[in-house]
Amino acid sequence: MINAAGRDIPEYIEGYGKTVPYQGAFAMSGRPTAIVQASRPKSAVRGESKLCASIDEVLDKLDLHDGMTFSFHHHLRNGDYVTNMVMLAIAKRGIKDIHLAATGLFACHDPLVPLIEDGTITRISLSTIGRGGIAKAISAGKLKTPCVFYSHGGRACAVENGRLHVDVAFIAAPTADPQGNMNGCTGKSACGCLSYNHADAEHADRVVAITDNLVPYPCCPAEITENFVDYVVAVDSIGDPAGIVSGATQITTNPDRLAVADLCAELLDKAGYIKEGMNFQTGAGGISLAVAAKIRDRFLAKGIRGGFGSGGITSYFVDMLHEGLLRALWDVQCFDQPSIDSVANDPAHMVMSGSHYGSPENKGCVANSLDAMILGAFEVDTDYNINVITGSNGIIMSAAGGNPDTAAGAGISIVASMLMKKGPTCFIKKAVTTVTTPGETVDAVVTDYGIAINPLRTDLLEALKDSGLPLVTIEELQKKGEELGDVYTAPSLGDKIVGVVEYRDGTVIDVVRQVL
Amino acid sequence: MINAAGRDIPEYIEGYGKTVPYQGAFAMSGRPTAIVQASRPKSAVRGESKLCASIDEVLDKLDLHDGMTFSFHHHLRNGDYVTNMVMLAIAKRGIKDIHLAATGLFACHDPLVPLIEDGTITRISLSTIGRGGIAKAISAGKLKTPCVFYSHGGRACAVENGRLHVDVAFIAAPTADPQGNMNGCTGKSACGCLSYNHADAEHADRVVAITDNLVPYPCCPAEITENFVDYVVAVDSIGDPAGIVSGATQITTNPDRLAVADLCAELLDKAGYIKEGMNFQTGAGGISLAVAAKIRDRFLAKGIRGGFGSGGITSYFVDMLHEGLLRALWDVQCFDQPSIDSVANDPAHMVMSGSHYGSPENKGCVANSLDAMILGAFEVDTDYNINVITGSNGIIMSAAGGNPDTAAGAGISIVASMLMKKGPTCFIKKAVTTVTTPGETVDAVVTDYGIAINPLRTDLLEALKDSGLPLVTIEELQKKGEELGDVYTAPSLGDKIVGVVEYRDGTVIDVVRQVL
């Protein structure tokens, strides 16, 4: 079937099942939904301790069997020790055919590649992945079934509505008490909030907190609470602080890139988005953060202040909050220490769950209140589709994250990038390798060679026609790339489907094929 | 059937259904549980406003029909305008056979009595009720079906597991934004936290926020979030501040009552409960608060500090938090302005949901971590059963609240009271009028005529045998009451069952019969 993003999706995918093709970004909006909790094997027994002496003692209590789904969160990012610790201990017990339902996986999880190769892990689903062994193994077709790529909001939605049923959620908890109240913002492995794990904590059959900072009851603040937690285990260390704090949080100093950021701010301003109460999100990449800085400058120049900043939070947003240039932050992930400190102490720095952030099936998500979103992209095509999953060589390098959620929700969603990347390759293609975010939700592409506005946004084109902005068509940008020596050659892909890209509503927007 | 509290419970009760008799306080512990959300009629549609211009506009959208269940919370206490406002508007539409699923009802809800009399409201369930017209109407048998009395934890549990399915939750929101993010701690009708309503917000099919302080998005802090809210309506006033702040928050100055409080503290001390990290809760009544003050004195004398204080929070607990004598507060309800200010600003003053507070079916509740609980009681009997529902005249005067939850959870649960009350009547009876909290969960009764320890607590009796405390048997206290002129006469009750008292696990512990 050709879906609404123009991709040919098989009706049935081995190891995934029957597909529902993507039907348009808002085709499923407003439908009835269900929140499902199949069952909890056991309620609390007063006086019965939840504390276990070791991971092995926890595993003894979990009645493990082949085919189970275990979930992990990625707030410790590339410093996470917990996923390996638990999965290797499970593997040692000979459990097979495991679904590793991570919110994200990174290079630090390379020790799990042998478990993919030997059939211990046969299913993986995630909404974030970093470059590394697991991404390569999936691209090479080593995983028995296709990896399922969710958006952050889509994953939370799938956990809530039961499509992604988690048998056991293992939660890396930088601080926890013996009853399982926990937070991520204190302790030697502090990572900030634990948002992506809220749905798992609330809906998994069993929940295990793994901490390296066991404190007396009650853990305070308590972001995830004891009423959701079955077992607590203290270990020496849950992560490497050097890997927990992301490196992707420096504003670019490159003048050409700063010029793109400035053009982006100018577009926002001319289109009327920079106004009192403006709500916005930027990624943590160099140009994106520079756009945040440019918006800040314009707030100061106009004497106005914004509403909320959201997303993965960095010190730039924390500073704007504390300067009074934003009224509040909605946080799903803290990228640096100032953000961690802020979420621990400032009531205006609010934690949102993954569902609250971006689920299309609840009664309203924060993404829907964004005025402006600056999106990341490996590739954009002339239909404005975004690819943030595979490189132009077809190899998995990342995952959707909040890209589709915020693009769908924001008043204006913008990709800001230098036209030419290393290679040289042009990031605008005739067709993206993998559709992650559908073009109908992407409003503008801002480059050093001009701004392309999605023709669907006739309102924007009308508003900007006399703006003096360097408006071009996306086709012109794509051709400019060719002129500038784009060396793109289509990747050599096999027939085997190694990844299924679900749009946030659970429909299939694209598949990822094996790289030969 | 005679249940485990010795009460004769019909197998079937007209208007309630088949009963499951109470089988002991912990008989249901540890069993598998389910969290159920039947369905949500509609997920969010981006750009579609949730704001309604009036209650009537909201009602137009709700597809109302006979037999629906509407829920309301009682954090505005005797100052609440919302329940009447909504119910009278629904009644005007001719909707009949309504289940009013309130967390609590007070004298301010007397205007709803005619709706009970005319068959608009045929079912009521609640976990708190104040003296007033509705209590009298139920006692008099005017409600078509028996009122269901829950504990706070039991009600949350019933909402979560689907036994109490709410069609529409109407939430009085002292502050809300147009998407439905809301809090109770700011605004002209500030009441503190909204804990008892969390389960309804999360599990009702539809959720309506009704506010008199509509603020720009995002409402900050956001205690209940937009992902659970369908509609928002702004009205002139949701409540009367004079009725919102409870009057029951003064420490007694009566020397005899202070002596009982002191004896209570002495019991706690001699039994080893006043120690570093002690977690405790007291009601907001005069003697209970005095016990808190006596515990504070002993913390200071010993140079120790407690862990958490919990429950309905008063300034006395807030002061202990700010003095460093408690590390944290777990709050389900703020009784005074200092508590409201504190929960708005102090991260160590934590909000817990009703489920987290006391549900017996989740994976652990705060009540289970209480070292000591000071319980209220209208009557206690020689089996240590507590009645906090009916007066000795049989008329409904209150409801279980957190009494059964905390009695079951706490390391020691104590009733502290003057033996003789106005009348004169002795509060210790051979049998209580209505069993609210089973005797097996009540450990001690402290009076001005001595301390009775529940014989089930052989450990306590052993520990206290040489303590010098004035230990007596409960039978001795009951007889002492007779000597002192107890004028108790059994109420004149009819056969009609006007109330079903569910223990927190959903079993029936007692029934309330019509007062003739």
Side-chain angles (χ1 to χ4, degrees):
Chain A
M1 298 170 285
I2 304 295
N3 70 11
R7 297 286 156 141
D8 192 1
I9 308 296
E11 288 184 28
Y12 181 89
I13 298 173
E14 192 63 38
Y16 173 84
K18 207 171 159 341
T19 61
V20 179
Y22 169 73
Q23 290 158 43
F26 303 103
M28 302 292 189
S29 278
R31 63 183 167 163
T33 62
I35 301 291
V36 175
Q37 166 71 40
S39 66
R40 289 174 169 175
K42 188 164 181 282
S43 60
V45 176
R46 173 177 172 254
E48 207 174 87
S49 174
K50 295 179 180 182
L51 270 180
C52 297
S54 64
I55 297 288
D56 269 313
E57 189 183 321
V58 172
L59 299 183
D60 287 344
K61 295 186 173 178
L62 291 174
D63 190 23
L64 299 178
H65 54 78
D66 292 353
M68 289 180 97
T69 297
F70 302 122
S71 88
F72 300 87
H73 73 81
H74 75 278
H75 290 88
L76 301 181
R77 288 173 285 266
N78 201 26
D80 173 44
Y81 291 165
V82 166
T83 312
N84 296 348
M85 190 187 300
V86 172
M87 288 303 298
L88 292 171
I90 292 173
K92 214 169 164 182
R93 292 172 178 237
I95 307 297
K96 297 285 180 192
D97 192 21
I98 290 169
H99 177 186
L100 172 57
T103 67
L105 294 170
F106 294 88
C108 66
H109 300 115
D110 282 2
L112 301 182
V113 171
L115 307 191
I116 294 170
E117 293 170 340
D118 74 6
T120 301
I121 296 170
T122 54
R123 293 197 293 154
I124 293 178
S125 61
L126 44 76
S127 49
T128 302
I129 189 165
R131 298 174 202 208
I134 293 182
K136 276 188 203 155
I138 295 168
S139 287
K142 291 182 178 172
L143 184 67
K144 192 176 173 194
T145 65
C147 177
V148 178
F149 291 88
Y150 297 113
S151 72
H152 285 322
R155 183 184 184 280
C157 176
V159 173
E160 288 184 348
N161 70 20
R163 285 202 311 119
L164 173 50
H165 177 80
V166 176
D167 290 302
V168 188
F170 294 94
I171 309 182
T175 296
D177 69 33
Q179 293 295 331
N181 297 292
M182 67 186 102
N183 71 55
C185 60
T186 59
K188 66 180 179 181
S189 304
C191 61
C193 52
L194 305 171
S195 303
Y196 295 130
N197 210 50
H198 287 202
D200 300 62
E202 292 163 14
H203 297 275
D205 287 351
R206 302 236 182 187
V207 176
V208 179
I210 300 172
T211 188
D212 55 7
N213 186 35
L214 187 68
V215 297
Y217 186 99
C219 168
C220 177
E223 183 184 330
I224 292 174
T225 51
E226 64 198 290
N227 43 321
F228 299 114
V229 180
D230 294 279
Y231 301 111
V232 179
V233 59
V235 297
D236 289 339
S237 176
I238 61 167
D240 171 13
I244 294 171
V245 175
S246 167
T249 59
Q250 295 302 313
I251 286 184
T252 182
T253 53
N254 176 314
D256 294 335
R257 295 163 69 84
L258 282 172
V260 171
D262 208 30
L263 192 57
C264 203
E266 186 69 9
L267 165 62
L268 287 169
D269 208 349
K270 291 261 167 73
Y273 289 98
I274 299 187
K275 60 181 198 294
E276 180 71 29
M278 178 192 188
N279 302 317
F280 71 103
Q281 177 172 338
T282 71
I287 292 183
S288 288
L289 279 181
V291 176
K294 300 290 182 188
I295 292 172
R296 175 181 173 277
D297 292 344
R298 286 169 196 249
F299 279 1
L300 287 169
K302 289 173 193 276
I304 59 174
R305 66 171 187 167
F308 71 83
S310 64
I313 296 295
T314 64
S315 64
Y316 302 100
F317 278 82
V318 171
D319 289 345
M320 288 185 77
L321 178 68
H322 294 166
E323 289 173 322
L325 293 176
L326 289 172
R327 278 196 301 110
L329 300 180
W330 283 123
D331 195 344
V332 278
Q333 180 172 197
C334 297
F335 280 122
D336 52 25
Q337 194 58 46
S339 309
I340 296 170
D341 296 339
S342 172
V343 79
N345 295 302
D346 189 337
H349 186 153
M350 301 189 286
V351 175
M352 56 182 168
S353 69
S355 173
H356 185 194
Y357 175 36
S359 168
E361 267 194 17
N362 62 25
K363 294 175 177 180
C365 64
V366 168
N368 283 351
S369 287
L370 282 169
D371 291 303
M373 173 69 201
I374 310 302
L375 299 163
F378 295 147
E379 301 173 329
V380 176
D381 66 24
T382 49
D383 290 326
Y384 288 83
N385 295 307
I386 289 177
N387 168 24
V388 284
I389 292 182
T390 50
S392 296
N393 57 8
I395 293 179
I396 294 159
M397 303 204 309
S398 187
N403 203 294
D405 305 313
T406 52
I412 185 170
S413 63
I414 302 173
V415 176
S417 173
M418 301 294 287
L419 185 64
M420 301 304 289
K421 300 192 173 184
K422 271 186 297 185
T425 64
C426 176
F427 87 100
I428 301 179
K429 311 290 183 195
K430 285 184 178 159
V432 290
T433 310
T434 307
V435 179
T436 310
T437 298
E440 66 168 300
T441 64
V442 179
D443 300 313
V445 175
V446 177
T447 75
D448 45 335
Y449 286 87
I451 298 173
I453 303 287
N454 190 327
L456 292 172
R457 289 299 300 267
T458 50
D459 59 326
L460 270 182
L461 286 164
E462 177 64 23
L464 296 170
K465 66 181 178 190
D466 301 320
S467 65
L469 288 170
L471 300 183
V472 292
T473 66
I474 193 123
E475 290 80 6
E476 286 168 338
L477 288 177
Q478 187 269 323
K479 286 195 186 104
K480 187 73 192 174
E482 286 180 4
E483 285 169 35
L484 292 170
D486 182 24
V487 295
Y488 175 72
T489 45
S492 175
L493 302 176
D495 280 340
K496 182 175 178 181
I497 292 172
V498 300
V500 175
V501 184
E502 284 197 3
Y503 190 56
R504 56 201 294 254
D505 60 9
T507 59
V508 177
I509 193 163
D510 208 348
V511 296
V512 180
R513 291 184 192 267
Q514 182 179 12
V515 176
L516 296 176
Chain B
M1 298 169 286
I2 304 295
N3 71 11
R7 297 285 156 143
D8 193 0
I9 308 296
E11 286 184 28
Y12 182 89
I13 298 173
E14 193 62 38
Y16 173 84
K18 206 172 161 339
T19 61
V20 179
Y22 169 72
Q23 291 157 44
F26 303 103
M28 301 292 188
S29 278
R31 63 182 167 164
T33 61
I35 301 292
V36 176
Q37 165 71 39
S39 66
R40 289 173 169 175
K42 188 164 182 284
S43 60
V45 176
R46 173 177 172 254
E48 207 175 86
S49 173
K50 295 180 180 181
L51 271 180
C52 297
S54 64
I55 298 287
D56 269 314
E57 189 184 320
V58 172
L59 299 183
D60 286 344
K61 295 185 173 181
L62 290 174
D63 191 24
L64 298 178
H65 54 78
D66 291 354
M68 290 180 96
T69 297
F70 302 122
S71 89
F72 299 88
H73 72 81
H74 75 277
H75 290 88
L76 300 181
R77 287 173 285 267
N78 201 26
D80 173 44
Y81 291 165
V82 167
T83 311
N84 295 348
M85 190 187 301
V86 173
M87 288 304 298
L88 292 171
I90 292 173
K92 212 168 165 184
R93 291 171 180 238
I95 307 295
K96 297 284 180 194
D97 193 20
I98 290 170
H99 177 185
L100 172 57
T103 68
L105 294 171
F106 294 88
C108 64
H109 300 115
D110 282 2
L112 301 182
V113 171
L115 306 193
I116 294 171
E117 292 169 340
D118 73 7
T120 300
I121 296 170
T122 53
R123 292 198 293 155
I124 293 178
S125 60
L126 44 77
S127 49
T128 302
I129 190 166
R131 299 175 202 207
I134 292 183
K136 275 188 204 155
I138 294 169
S139 287
K142 291 183 178 172
L143 184 67
K144 191 177 172 195
T145 65
C147 178
V148 178
F149 290 88
Y150 296 111
S151 72
H152 284 323
R155 183 184 184 281
C157 177
V159 173
E160 288 185 347
N161 71 20
R163 285 201 312 118
L164 173 51
H165 177 80
V166 176
D167 291 302
V168 188
F170 293 94
I171 309 182
T175 296
D177 69 33
Q179 293 295 331
N181 296 293
M182 66 185 102
N183 71 55
C185 60
T186 60
K188 66 179 179 182
S189 304
C191 62
C193 51
L194 305 171
S195 303
Y196 295 129
N197 209 51
H198 288 202
D200 300 62
E202 292 163 13
H203 297 275
D205 287 350
R206 302 237 183 187
V207 175
V208 179
I210 300 171
T211 189
D212 55 9
N213 186 35
L214 187 68
V215 297
Y217 186 98
C219 169
C220 177
E223 183 184 330
I224 293 175
T225 51
E226 65 199 288
N227 43 320
F228 299 114
V229 180
D230 295 278
Y231 300 111
V232 179
V233 58
V235 298
D236 289 340
S237 176
I238 62 167
D240 172 11
I244 293 172
V245 176
S246 166
T249 60
Q250 295 301 313
I251 286 185
T252 181
T253 53
N254 176 314
D256 294 335
R257 295 163 69 84
L258 283 172
V260 170
D262 208 28
L263 192 57
C264 203
E266 185 69 9
L267 166 62
L268 287 169
D269 208 350
K270 290 261 166 75
Y273 288 97
I274 300 187
K275 60 180 197 297
E276 180 71 29
M278 178 191 188
N279 303 316
F280 70 102
Q281 177 173 336
T282 70
I287 292 183
S288 288
L289 280 182
V291 176
K294 300 290 183 188
I295 292 172
R296 176 181 173 278
D297 292 345
R298 286 169 195 249
F299 280 0
L300 287 169
K302 289 172 192 276
I304 59 175
R305 65 171 186 165
F308 71 83
S310 64
I313 295 296
T314 64
S315 65
Y316 302 101
F317 278 82
V318 171
D319 289 345
M320 288 186 77
L321 179 68
H322 295 165
E323 288 173 322
L325 293 175
L326 288 172
R327 278 197 302 108
L329 300 179
W330 283 124
D331 195 344
V332 278
Q333 182 172 195
C334 297
F335 279 123
D336 52 26
Q337 194 58 45
S339 308
I340 296 170
D341 295 339
S342 172
V343 78
N345 296 301
D346 189 338
H349 186 153
M350 300 188 287
V351 175
M352 56 181 169
S353 68
S355 174
H356 185 194
Y357 175 34
S359 168
E361 267 193 17
N362 62 25
K363 294 175 177 178
C365 65
V366 168
N368 284 350
S369 286
L370 281 169
D371 292 304
M373 174 69 203
I374 309 302
L375 299 163
F378 295 148
E379 301 173 331
V380 175
D381 67 24
T382 49
D383 289 326
Y384 288 84
N385 295 308
I386 289 177
N387 168 23
V388 284
I389 293 182
T390 49
S392 297
N393 57 8
I395 293 179
I396 293 160
M397 303 205 310
S398 187
N403 203 294
D405 306 313
T406 53
I412 186 169
S413 62
I414 302 174
V415 176
S417 174
M418 302 295 287
L419 185 65
M420 301 304 288
K421 300 191 173 185
K422 271 186 297 186
T425 64
C426 175
F427 87 100
I428 300 178
K429 311 288 183 196
K430 285 184 178 160
V432 289
T433 311
T434 307
V435 179
T436 310
T437 298
E440 66 167 300
T441 65
V442 180
D443 299 313
V445 174
V446 177
T447 75
D448 46 335
Y449 286 87
I451 299 173
I453 303 287
N454 190 327
L456 292 172
R457 288 298 300 267
T458 50
D459 60 324
L460 270 181
L461 287 164
E462 178 64 23
L464 295 171
K465 66 181 179 190
D466 301 320
S467 65
L469 288 170
L471 300 184
V472 293
T473 66
I474 193 125
E475 290 80 6
E476 286 168 339
L477 288 177
Q478 188 268 323
K479 286 197 185 102
K480 187 74 196 173
E482 286 180 3
E483 285 169 36
L484 293 170
D486 182 24
V487 296
Y488 176 71
T489 44
S492 174
L493 302 177
D495 279 339
K496 182 176 178 181
I497 292 172
V498 299
V500 175
V501 184
E502 284 197 4
Y503 189 58
R504 57 202 293 255
D505 60 9
T507 60
V508 177
I509 194 162
D510 208 348
V511 295
V512 179
R513 291 185 191 268
Q514 181 178 13
V515 176
L516 296 177

